[in-house]
Coordinates of all heavy atoms in Angstrom, one line a residue:
D220 N -17.7 16.0 -1.3 CA -18.5 16.3 -0.2 C -19.2 17.7 -0.3 O -19.9 18.1 0.6 CB -17.6 16.4 1.1 CG -16.9 15.1 1.4 OD1 -17.5 14.0 1.1 OD2 -15.8 15.1 1.9
N221 N -19.0 18.3 -1.4 CA -19.7 19.6 -1.6 C -20.4 19.5 -3.0 O -19.8 19.8 -4.0 CB -18.6 20.7 -1.7 CG -19.2 22.1 -1.7 OD1 -20.3 22.3 -2.3 ND2 -18.6 23.1 -1.0
G222 N -21.6 19.1 -2.9 CA -22.4 18.9 -4.2 C -22.5 20.2 -5.0 O -22.4 20.2 -6.2
E223 N -22.7 21.4 -4.3 CA -22.9 22.6 -5.1 C -21.6 23.0 -5.8 O -21.7 23.4 -7.0 CB -23.2 23.8 -4.1 CG -23.4 25.1 -4.7 CD -23.7 26.2 -3.7 OE1 -24.0 25.8 -2.5 OE2 -23.7 27.4 -4.1
L224 N -20.4 22.9 -5.2 CA -19.2 23.1 -5.9 C -19.0 22.2 -7.0 O -18.5 22.6 -8.1 CB -18.0 23.0 -4.9 CG -16.6 23.2 -5.5 CD1 -16.4 24.5 -6.2 CD2 -15.5 23.0 -4.4
A225 N -19.2 20.9 -6.8 CA -19.0 19.9 -7.9 C -19.9 20.3 -9.1 O -19.5 20.1 -10.3 CB -19.4 18.5 -7.4
A226 N -21.1 20.7 -8.8 CA -22.0 21.1 -9.9 C -21.5 22.3 -10.7 O -21.5 22.3 -11.9 CB -23.4 21.4 -9.4
V227 N -21.0 23.3 -10.0 CA -20.4 24.5 -10.7 C -19.2 24.1 -11.5 O -19.2 24.5 -12.7 CB -19.9 25.5 -9.6 CG1 -19.1 26.6 -10.3 CG2 -21.1 26.1 -8.9
L228 N -18.3 23.3 -11.0 CA -17.2 22.9 -11.8 C -17.6 22.1 -13.0 O -17.0 22.2 -14.1 CB -16.2 22.0 -10.9 CG -15.6 22.7 -9.8 CD1 -14.7 21.8 -8.9 CD2 -14.8 23.9 -10.2
A229 N -18.6 21.2 -12.9 CA -19.0 20.4 -14.0 C -19.7 21.3 -15.1 O -19.4 21.1 -16.3 CB -20.0 19.3 -13.5
T230 N -20.5 22.2 -14.7 CA -21.2 23.1 -15.7 C -20.1 24.0 -16.4 O -20.4 24.4 -17.6 CB -22.3 23.9 -15.1 OG1 -21.7 24.7 -14.0 CG2 -23.4 23.0 -14.5
Q231 N -19.0 24.3 -15.8 CA -18.0 25.2 -16.4 C -17.0 24.4 -17.3 O -16.2 25.0 -17.9 CB -17.2 25.9 -15.3 CG -18.0 26.9 -14.5 CD -18.5 28.1 -15.4 OE1 -17.7 28.6 -16.1 NE2 -19.8 28.5 -15.2
G232 N -17.2 23.1 -17.3 CA -16.3 22.3 -18.1 C -14.9 22.1 -17.5 O -13.9 22.0 -18.2
V233 N -14.9 22.2 -16.2 CA -13.6 22.1 -15.5 C -13.2 20.7 -15.2 O -14.1 19.9 -14.7 CB -13.7 22.9 -14.1 CG1 -12.4 22.7 -13.3 CG2 -13.9 24.4 -14.4
E234 N -12.0 20.3 -15.6 CA -11.5 18.9 -15.3 C -10.7 19.1 -13.9 O -9.8 20.0 -13.8 CB -10.6 18.5 -16.4 CG -11.2 18.3 -17.7 CD -10.2 17.9 -18.7 OE1 -9.2 17.1 -18.4 OE2 -10.2 18.3 -19.9
Y235 N -11.0 18.2 -13.0 CA -10.3 18.4 -11.7 C -9.9 17.0 -11.2 O -10.5 16.0 -11.3 CB -11.1 19.1 -10.7 CG -12.5 18.7 -10.5 CD1 -12.9 17.9 -9.5 CD2 -13.5 19.2 -11.4 CE1 -14.2 17.5 -9.3 CE2 -14.9 18.8 -11.2 CZ -15.2 18.0 -10.2 OH -16.5 17.6 -10.0
L236 N -8.6 17.0 -10.7 CA -8.0 15.8 -10.1 C -7.7 16.1 -8.7 O -7.2 17.1 -8.2 CB -6.7 15.6 -10.8 CG -6.7 15.1 -12.3 CD1 -5.3 14.9 -12.8 CD2 -7.5 13.8 -12.4
D237 N -8.1 15.0 -7.9 CA -7.7 15.0 -6.5 C -6.4 14.3 -6.4 O -6.1 13.3 -7.2 CB -8.8 14.3 -5.6 CG -8.6 14.6 -4.1 OD1 -7.8 15.4 -3.8 OD2 -9.3 13.9 -3.4
T238 N -5.5 14.7 -5.5 CA -4.2 14.0 -5.4 C -3.9 13.7 -4.0 O -4.4 14.4 -3.1 CB -3.1 15.0 -6.0 OG1 -3.0 16.2 -5.2 CG2 -3.3 15.3 -7.4
Y239 N -3.0 12.7 -3.8 CA -2.5 12.4 -2.5 C -1.0 12.3 -2.6 O -0.5 11.8 -3.6 CB -3.1 11.0 -2.0 CG -2.3 10.5 -0.9 CD1 -2.6 10.9 0.4 CD2 -1.2 9.6 -1.0 CE1 -1.9 10.5 1.5 CE2 -0.5 9.2 0.1 CZ -0.9 9.6 1.4 OH -0.1 9.2 2.5
G240 N -0.4 12.9 -1.6 CA 1.1 12.9 -1.6 C 1.7 13.6 -0.4 O 1.0 14.0 0.5
A241 N 3.0 13.8 -0.5 CA 3.7 14.5 0.5 C 5.0 15.0 -0.1 O 5.4 14.7 -1.2 CB 4.0 13.6 1.7
T242 N 5.7 16.0 0.6 CA 6.9 16.5 0.1 C 7.9 15.4 -0.2 O 8.6 15.5 -1.2 CB 7.5 17.5 1.1 OG1 6.5 18.5 1.4 CG2 8.7 18.2 0.4
E243 N 7.9 14.4 0.6 CA 8.9 13.3 0.4 C 8.6 12.5 -0.8 O 9.6 12.0 -1.5 CB 8.8 12.3 1.6 CG 9.4 12.9 2.9 CD 8.3 13.6 3.7 OE1 7.2 14.0 3.2 OE2 8.5 13.8 4.9
V244 N 7.4 12.3 -1.2 CA 7.0 11.4 -2.3 C 6.3 12.1 -3.5 O 5.9 11.5 -4.5 CB 6.2 10.3 -1.9 CG1 6.9 9.4 -0.9 CG2 4.8 10.8 -1.3
A245 N 6.1 13.4 -3.5 CA 5.3 14.2 -4.5 C 3.9 13.6 -4.6 O 3.3 13.2 -3.6 CB 6.1 14.2 -5.8
F246 N 3.4 13.5 -5.8 CA 2.1 12.8 -6.0 C 2.3 11.3 -6.0 O 3.0 10.8 -6.8 CB 1.4 13.3 -7.3 CG 1.1 14.7 -7.4 CD1 1.4 15.5 -8.5 CD2 0.5 15.3 -6.3 CE1 1.1 16.9 -8.5 CE2 0.1 16.7 -6.3 CZ 0.4 17.5 -7.4
A247 N 1.6 10.7 -5.1 CA 1.6 9.2 -5.0 C 0.4 8.6 -5.7 O 0.5 7.5 -6.2 CB 1.7 8.7 -3.6
A248 N -0.7 9.3 -5.6 CA -2.0 8.7 -6.2 C -2.9 9.9 -6.6 O -2.7 11.0 -6.1 CB -2.7 7.9 -5.2
Y249 N -3.8 9.7 -7.6 CA -4.7 10.7 -8.1 C -5.8 10.1 -8.7 O -6.0 8.9 -9.0 CB -3.9 11.6 -9.1 CG -3.7 11.0 -10.4 CD1 -4.4 11.5 -11.6 CD2 -2.8 9.9 -10.6 CE1 -4.2 10.9 -12.8 CE2 -2.6 9.4 -11.9 CZ -3.2 9.8 -13.0 OH -3.0 9.3 -14.2
G250 N -6.9 11.0 -8.9 CA -8.1 10.5 -9.5 C -9.1 11.6 -9.5 O -8.9 12.7 -9.0
P251 N -10.3 11.4 -10.2 CA -11.3 12.4 -10.2 C -11.8 12.8 -8.8 O -11.9 11.9 -7.9 CB -12.4 11.8 -11.0 CG -11.8 10.7 -11.7 CD -10.7 10.2 -10.9
A252 N -12.0 14.1 -8.6 CA -12.3 14.6 -7.2 C -13.7 14.1 -6.7 O -14.1 14.4 -5.7 CB -12.1 16.0 -7.1
I253 N -14.4 13.5 -7.7 CA -15.8 13.1 -7.3 C -15.7 11.6 -6.8 O -16.8 11.0 -6.5 CB -16.8 13.2 -8.4 CG1 -16.2 12.4 -9.7 CG2 -17.0 14.6 -8.8 CD1 -17.2 12.3 -10.8
D254 N -14.5 11.0 -6.7 CA -14.4 9.6 -6.4 C -13.4 9.5 -5.3 O -12.4 10.1 -5.3 CB -13.9 8.9 -7.6 CG -14.1 7.4 -7.5 OD1 -14.2 6.9 -6.4 OD2 -14.1 6.7 -8.5
E255 N -13.7 8.6 -4.3 CA -12.8 8.4 -3.2 C -11.6 7.6 -3.6 O -10.6 7.6 -2.9 CB -13.6 7.8 -2.0 CG -14.6 8.7 -1.3 CD -15.2 8.1 -0.1 OE1 -14.9 6.9 0.2 OE2 -16.0 8.9 0.6
R256 N -11.8 6.8 -4.6 CA -10.7 5.9 -5.0 C -9.7 6.7 -5.9 O -10.2 7.5 -6.8 CB -11.2 4.7 -5.9 CG -12.0 3.7 -5.0 CD -12.4 2.6 -6.0 NE -13.1 1.5 -5.3 CZ -13.5 0.4 -5.8 NH1 -13.3 0.2 -7.1 NH2 -14.2 -0.5 -5.1
M257 N -8.4 6.4 -5.8 CA -7.4 7.0 -6.6 C -6.5 5.9 -7.1 O -6.5 4.8 -6.5 CB -6.6 8.0 -5.8 CG -7.3 9.3 -5.5 SD -6.3 10.6 -4.7 CE -6.4 10.1 -3.0
I258 N -5.9 6.2 -8.3 CA -4.9 5.2 -8.8 C -3.5 5.7 -8.6 O -3.3 6.9 -8.4 CB -5.2 5.0 -10.3 CG1 -5.0 6.3 -11.1 CG2 -6.6 4.4 -10.5 CD1 -5.2 6.1 -12.6
P259 N -2.5 4.8 -8.6 CA -1.1 5.3 -8.5 C -0.8 6.3 -9.5 O -1.1 6.1 -10.7 CB -0.3 4.0 -8.6 CG -1.3 2.9 -8.3 CD -2.6 3.4 -8.8
A260 N 0.0 7.3 -9.1 CA 0.5 8.3 -10.1 C 1.6 7.6 -11.0 O 2.1 6.6 -10.6 CB 1.1 9.5 -9.3
P261 N 1.9 8.2 -12.1 CA 2.8 7.6 -13.0 C 4.2 7.3 -12.3 O 4.7 8.2 -11.6 CB 3.0 8.7 -14.1 CG 1.7 9.4 -14.2 CD 1.3 9.4 -12.7
G262 N 4.7 6.1 -12.5 CA 5.9 5.7 -11.9 C 5.9 5.3 -10.4 O 7.0 5.1 -9.8
V263 N 4.7 5.1 -9.9 CA 4.5 4.9 -8.4 C 4.1 3.5 -8.2 O 3.2 3.0 -8.9 CB 3.5 5.9 -7.8 CG1 3.2 5.5 -6.3 CG2 4.1 7.3 -7.9
S264 N 4.6 2.8 -7.2 CA 4.2 1.5 -6.6 C 3.7 1.7 -5.3 O 4.3 2.4 -4.5 CB 5.3 0.5 -6.7 OG 5.8 0.3 -7.9
L265 N 2.5 1.1 -4.9 CA 1.9 1.3 -3.6 C 1.8 -0.1 -3.0 O 1.6 -1.2 -3.6 CB 0.5 1.9 -3.7 CG 0.3 3.2 -4.4 CD1 -1.1 3.6 -4.5 CD2 1.1 4.3 -3.7
D266 N 1.9 -0.1 -1.6 CA 1.8 -1.3 -0.8 C 1.2 -1.0 0.6 O 1.1 0.2 0.9 CB 3.2 -2.0 -0.7 CG 3.1 -3.5 -0.4 OD1 1.9 -3.9 -0.1 OD2 4.1 -4.1 -0.4
M267 N 0.9 -2.0 1.3 CA 0.4 -1.7 2.7 C 1.3 -2.5 3.6 O 1.8 -3.5 3.4 CB -1.0 -2.3 2.9 CG -2.1 -1.4 2.3 SD -3.7 -1.7 3.0 CE -3.9 -3.5 2.7
G268 N 1.5 -1.9 4.8 CA 2.3 -2.4 5.8 C 1.7 -2.4 7.2 O 0.9 -1.5 7.5
G269 N 2.0 -3.5 8.0 CA 1.5 -3.5 9.4 C 0.1 -3.8 9.5 O -0.7 -3.9 8.6
L270 N -0.3 -3.9 10.8 CA -1.7 -4.3 11.1 C -2.6 -3.1 10.9 O -3.8 -3.2 10.7 CB -1.8 -4.7 12.6 CG -1.0 -6.0 12.9 CD1 -1.2 -6.3 14.4 CD2 -1.6 -7.1 12.1
D271 N -2.1 -1.9 10.9 CA -2.9 -0.7 10.7 C -3.2 -0.3 9.3 O -3.8 0.6 8.9 CB -2.2 0.5 11.4 CG -2.2 0.4 12.9 OD1 -3.1 -0.1 13.4 OD2 -1.1 0.7 13.5
G272 N -2.6 -1.1 8.3 CA -2.8 -0.8 6.9 C -2.2 0.5 6.5 O -2.8 1.2 5.7
E273 N -1.0 0.7 6.9 CA -0.3 1.9 6.5 C 0.1 1.9 5.1 O 0.6 0.9 4.5 CB 1.0 2.1 7.4 CG 1.7 3.5 7.0 CD 2.9 3.7 7.9 OE1 3.3 2.7 8.6 OE2 3.5 4.8 7.9
L274 N -0.1 3.0 4.4 CA 0.2 3.1 3.0 C 1.7 3.3 2.8 O 2.4 4.1 3.4 CB -0.5 4.3 2.3 CG -0.2 4.6 0.8 CD1 -0.6 3.4 0.0 CD2 -0.9 5.9 0.4
L275 N 2.3 2.5 1.9 CA 3.7 2.5 1.6 C 3.9 3.0 0.1 O 3.2 2.5 -0.7 CB 4.5 1.2 1.8 CG 4.3 0.6 3.2 CD1 4.9 -0.8 3.3 CD2 4.8 1.5 4.3
V276 N 4.9 3.9 -0.1 CA 5.0 4.4 -1.5 C 6.4 4.3 -2.0 O 7.4 4.5 -1.2 CB 4.6 5.9 -1.5 CG1 4.8 6.5 -2.9 CG2 3.2 6.1 -1.1

Side-chain angles (χ1 to χ4, degrees):
D220 299 326
N221 188 329
E223 181 180 348
L224 174 58
V227 168
L228 295 178
T230 57
Q231 294 294 316
V233 174
E234 300 176 36
Y235 47 99
L236 290 178
D237 196 8
T238 63
Y239 167 83
T242 304
E243 291 91 340
V244 298
F246 292 134
Y249 72 112
I253 56 173
D254 195 339
E255 291 185 354
R256 290 183 179 184
M257 291 186 272
I258 61 173
V263 173
S264 297
L265 303 179
D266 201 353
M267 282 199 309
L270 297 176
D271 293 320
E273 181 179 11
L274 178 62
L275 306 178
V276 177

